[in-house]
Amino acid sequence: MPPQLKAEVNVMPKVVQGDLQSLPPEARDFIESNAKLCQPESIHICDGSEEENKKILDIMVEQGMIKKLSKYENCWLALTDPRDVARIESKTVIITQEQRDTIPIPKTGTSQLGRWMSEEDFEKAFNTRFPGCMQGRTMYVIPFSMGPIGSPLSKIGIELTDSPYVVASMRIMARMGTAALKALSNGEFVKCLHSVGCPLPLKEPLINNWPCNPELTLIAHLPDRREIISFGSGYGGNSLLGKKCFALRIASRIAKEEGWLAEHMLILGITNPEGEKKYFAAAFPSACGKTNLAMMNPSLPGWKIECVGDDIAWMKFDEQGNLRAINPENGFFGVAPGTSVKTNPNAIKTIFKNTIFTNVAETSDGGVYWEGIDEALPTGVTLTSWKNKDWTPDNGEPCAHPNSRFCTPASQCPIMDPAWESPEGVPIEGIIFGGRRPAGVPLVYEAFNWQHGVFIGAAMRSEATAAAEHKGKIIMHDPFAMRPFFGYNFGKYLAHWLNMAHRPAAKLPRIFHVNWFRKDSQGKFLWPGYGENSRVLEWMFNRIEGKASAKPTAIGYIPADTALNLKGLEDVNLTELFDISKEFWEKEVEEIKQYFEVQVNADLPYEIEREMLALEMRIKQL
């Protein structure tokens, strides 16, 4: 662990569940040194059992942290302190010896590709936060596996936390408990330390019985030591350390060293009417319908979509050259607003049992509610907002926080792929990038080759979102939908992707870009989206099979005139959907070029520079 102050009380807290002595030495040292530092009242080693989960939920009810939702089976509602509602990019850092190991040094201004903190600054920050931070609380020890237990693609972590909310949520989001400990034996594990930063007795009263310490929040990653250290926030993305912190930031760095990919991607299987199946991985920034795509009900007769994962993919080439992917997670931590029977019927069928809801509104009959749920409230049923106040539509603010969440077991989703827990992973044949682009970007296009595909991922842009603390609608660069999650220098990350082409026998997936969100001059969507997106997937599927025709354009291949199946769809203006305007793309090229020059600077691989120049030339010829 990081340098530690001598704890005033060097006594080991009592272990109320589990046996410290039976743990591998490295795990025991990790727990003991942090227990001495953080000084919890007791230590509880989690076994992941049903009985333990019930006790944890009872503790939270008693503390007023959650309440039972009487309308559903084993569902709970947590309302947080309004200052602790999202990932906080400005307080999320990576600590390496050299700044350039974490981020490219920008030509001017600050880096948008991550935040570096020096080892010295981190040591000071750590020592002002952690000593005695768990006084009066229980330190929970959460052994967990990211990925199916025993899979060669999986990795083990141990999270120490003083938050029962984290224990209950990690049980849903990862494979947690005794089985993960057994898988650890004497192997390596990622060390995760989390505290809400509110030792007892409290210095000031809690808001909504939600412990957090917003002034001192810090989420730190030490990739060289495989450690994650998080303080002051109880919100999922900052406290469920298996999720973005481990599965993306630390894992992307491990993946670079070990020759695989850790990506912010959904994984889906699609089967055509003849029973042939292909798997795709897809990267979208927040608010682009990622979970909706992963769980889509296709509108095309005879086609079937099944979900392997909705958020993160770990992918590695096998000996036959297939790119094999696993979903390292065990649950869905989805944005609630906008989820409805229309937008995502399969999510709706998943979330009404064994689920923890956070910052949604509550109905007076013990149910949940949010913007875009598309259900009228029954007569006489009233709403309490996420701020725990009576709510009516005249309030002028949303009843649910825009980043409110459901945390639900993946196994409950009615369309989980039969191979979703397969230890060897599923073979990826197509990679899809996408963003929310109201203007200029066609519905779908295909990269000319792997290098061009990597360039398309690097050049991704999308309307900004509520998942982090950015406000308003602006088009933001979000390369690979990984901008907030890179675990190391983005220029080196691009080089790592480009290197995949040099793997012996690698069967490189085709790369596509989609945009479901293009609008006409009246501001209306040109494409119906949702289940109709299966028509675009059908074209991609057939492209991989060598069956669908395409025509080259300045930006990539687009479907030939009749290649996109529009049977049964009316009023789709293909000309407008696929229009490639010289004026728009000249501006787009300029923006991308500027971004690479300023943000990636000296670390931009020459192959990407070459793709940039080639695109510029092709646009000039339009």
Side-chain angles (χ1 to χ4, degrees):
M1 285 309 291
Q4 292 164 2
L5 294 182
K6 284 270 178 278
E8 291 156 38
V9 189
N10 225 356
V11 182
M12 270 301 289
K14 62 180 184 292
V15 179
V16 292
Q17 178 176 300
D19 175 14
L20 257 183
Q21 300 317 307
S22 68
L23 301 181
E26 200 183 342
R28 193 166 64 234
D29 291 350
F30 170 58
I31 296 160
E32 286 176 351
S33 60
N34 283 297
K36 285 173 186 166
L37 175 80
C38 303
Q39 299 168 26
E41 195 173 274
S42 58
I43 295 174
H44 173 124
I45 300 169
C46 297
D47 60 18
S49 66
E50 196 53 68
E51 184 189 358
E52 173 185 76
N53 187 47
K54 197 177 168 318
K55 276 185 198 155
I56 296 286
L57 293 166
D58 287 347
I59 287 167
M60 284 196 281
V61 170
E62 207 175 295
Q63 292 176 358
M65 260 185 106
I66 61 170
K67 64 190 288 190
K68 194 166 188 2
L69 292 161
S70 57
K71 197 170 172 179
Y72 319 118
E73 183 191 330
N74 191 31
C75 286
W76 309 84
L77 174 63
L79 300 178
T80 72
D81 182 316
R83 298 169 300 169
D84 189 22
V85 293
R87 284 185 294 103
I88 311 172
E89 286 176 25
S90 55
K91 297 182 176 188
T92 302
V93 297
I94 293 179
I95 291 101
T96 47
Q97 250 180 337
E98 301 297 325
Q99 183 175 356
R100 203 168 162 186
D101 292 336
T102 293
I103 46 175
I105 309 302
K107 209 173 214 169
T108 55
T110 54
S111 175
Q112 296 167 18
L113 291 161
R115 265 176 191 266
W116 176 74
M117 186 184 258
S118 71
E119 291 173 333
E120 299 69 40
D121 287 351
F122 174 68
E123 191 176 321
K124 280 183 217 138
F126 183 86
N127 288 334
T128 54
R129 285 165 175 79
F130 279 91
C133 66
M134 295 187 184
Q135 281 171 358
R137 298 189 180 275
T138 299
M139 174 191 273
Y140 296 99
V141 177
I142 307 174
F144 63 96
S145 174
M146 296 311 288
I149 287 180
S151 161
L153 296 169
S154 297
K155 300 280 177 198
I156 302 287
I158 295 179
E159 176 164 0
L160 311 179
T161 180
D162 52 8
S163 163
Y165 173 87
V166 169
V167 179
S169 304
M170 281 291 283
R171 183 173 184 265
I172 295 170
M173 291 308 299
R175 286 110 178 140
M176 178 267 259
T178 309
L181 258 189
K182 282 189 184 136
L184 168 67
S185 62
N186 268 318
E188 277 191 357
F189 63 96
V190 172
K191 302 179 171 91
C192 308
L193 172 62
H194 168 257
S195 173
V196 290
C198 292
L200 298 173
L202 292 167
K203 292 194 176 71
E204 50 192 72
L206 298 178
I207 299 172
N208 283 338
N209 298 308
W210 181 265
C212 61
N213 188 339
E215 285 73 37
L216 289 176
T217 294
L218 183 68
I219 300 96
H221 306 72
L222 293 88
D224 294 326
R225 303 210 288 242
R226 308 286 194 252
E227 287 173 17
I228 303 159
I229 291 166
S230 171
F231 186 90
S233 169
Y235 166 76
N238 305 325
S239 68
L240 311 181
L241 301 184
K243 199 164 174 50
K244 308 294 196 197
C245 299
F246 179 166
L248 289 177
R249 295 190 194 98
I250 294 291
S252 64
R253 169 65 191 272
I254 296 173
K256 177 183 178 278
E257 290 169 20
E258 295 181 355
W260 49 281
L261 301 165
E263 299 299 328
H264 188 207
M265 292 182 176
L266 64 89
I267 308 166
L268 62 81
I270 178 161
T271 308
N272 70 8
E274 291 72 55
E276 297 162 323
K277 185 170 196 174
K278 295 193 184 304
Y279 288 96
F280 286 82
F284 296 91
S286 303
C288 290
K290 195 170 169 204
T291 302
N292 296 349
L293 180 62
M295 298 186 192
M296 186 210 294
N297 268 349
S299 61
L300 285 179
W303 286 79
K304 184 163 79 170
I305 284 179
E306 289 164 304
C307 176
V308 176
D310 79 323
D311 196 36
I312 297 172
W314 287 359
M315 304 186 286
K316 189 176 188 176
F317 283 103
D318 66 14
E319 283 170 7
Q320 287 71 49
N322 300 302
L323 185 60
R324 293 267 174 186
I326 61 165
N327 166 14
E329 299 190 294
N330 196 39
F332 303 125
F333 186 65
V335 174
T339 306
S340 70
V341 170
K342 179 189 175 225
T343 61
N344 196 337
N346 290 312
I348 294 289
K349 287 175 188 159
T350 305
I351 61 181
F352 292 119
K353 62 178 186 191
N354 307 317
T355 295
I356 299 169
F357 292 95
T358 303
N359 288 341
V360 300
E362 185 188 2
T363 61
S364 55
D365 61 349
V368 290
Y369 206 78
W370 48 75
E371 277 62 35
I373 198 168
D374 271 358
E375 272 175 39
L377 283 173
T379 314
V381 171
T382 57
L383 279 186
T384 304
S385 78
W386 75 277
K387 291 181 176 171
N388 210 8
K389 295 191 174 94
D390 292 342
W391 188 92
T392 64
D394 319 332
N395 278 31
E397 58 176 18
C399 65
H401 188 276
N403 194 40
S404 54
R405 298 280 172 162
F406 52 79
C407 180
T408 195
S411 58
Q412 292 178 187
C413 176
I415 60 155
M416 284 314 277
D417 194 273
W420 85 277
E421 293 193 280
S422 141
E424 66 276 8
V426 298
I428 299 296
E429 294 187 62
I431 289 172
I432 304 168
F433 295 119
R436 182 178 277 269
R437 299 301 302 271
V441 179
L443 175 64
V444 60
Y445 58 98
E446 181 189 337
F448 295 124
N449 52 44
W450 182 258
Q451 282 76 11
H452 181 226
V454 175
F455 168 78
I456 289 170
M460 272 170 71
R461 302 174 74 212
S462 189
E463 254 185 6
T465 153
E469 75 271 43
H470 301 289
K471 302 282 186 288
K473 301 232 164 161
I474 47 167
I475 302 285
M476 282 179 69
H477 293 271
D478 194 349
F480 288 76
M482 280 283 283
R483 187 191 54 76
F485 309 120
F486 292 118
Y488 62 100
N489 180 311
F490 172 55
K492 304 278 182 279
Y493 167 96
L494 286 174
H496 182 57
W497 264 81
L498 291 163
N499 281 340
M500 294 295 150
H502 310 310
R503 306 241 136 195
K507 296 173 192 159
L508 296 171
R510 298 271 187 116
I511 297 178
F512 302 89
H513 187 284
V514 298
N515 173 29
W516 319 128
F517 304 99
R518 194 166 185 173
K519 292 176 176 176
D520 64 15
S521 51
Q522 270 73 58
K524 287 200 174 74
F525 287 118
L526 286 162
W527 179 250
Y530 304 116
E532 304 299 354
N533 293 339
S534 55
R535 298 169 186 274
V536 176
L537 293 179
E538 178 192 35
W539 179 74
M540 294 176 185
F541 188 106
N542 290 334
R543 284 293 293 159
I544 295 165
E545 290 277 278
K547 290 177 186 165
S549 53
K551 53 186 182 190
T553 71
I555 63 170
Y557 296 111
I558 63 170
D561 296 341
T562 55
L564 198 62
N565 175 358
L566 297 179
K567 205 171 162 192
L569 263 195
E570 284 163 29
D571 302 331
V572 170
N573 184 336
L574 281 184
T575 312
E576 229 179 315
L577 258 179
F578 284 98
D579 178 58
I580 295 164
S581 138
K582 183 171 186 172
E583 191 190 355
F584 173 88
W585 278 94
E586 278 176 341
K587 217 148 86 207
E588 185 77 0
V589 162
E590 212 31 63
E591 293 268 357
I592 296 164
K593 201 166 150 184
Q594 184 65 13
Y595 181 72
F596 287 164
E597 271 175 25
V598 173
Q599 286 292 322
V600 198
N601 198 2
D603 290 317
L604 189 71
Y606 78 92
E607 296 95 329
I608 299 296
E609 219 168 311
R610 207 171 55 201
E611 289 296 337
M612 184 80 251
L613 287 169
L615 174 63
E616 205 172 4
M617 292 304 294
R618 293 193 300 267
I619 298 297
K620 273 194 182 128
Q621 286 159 15
L622 278 177

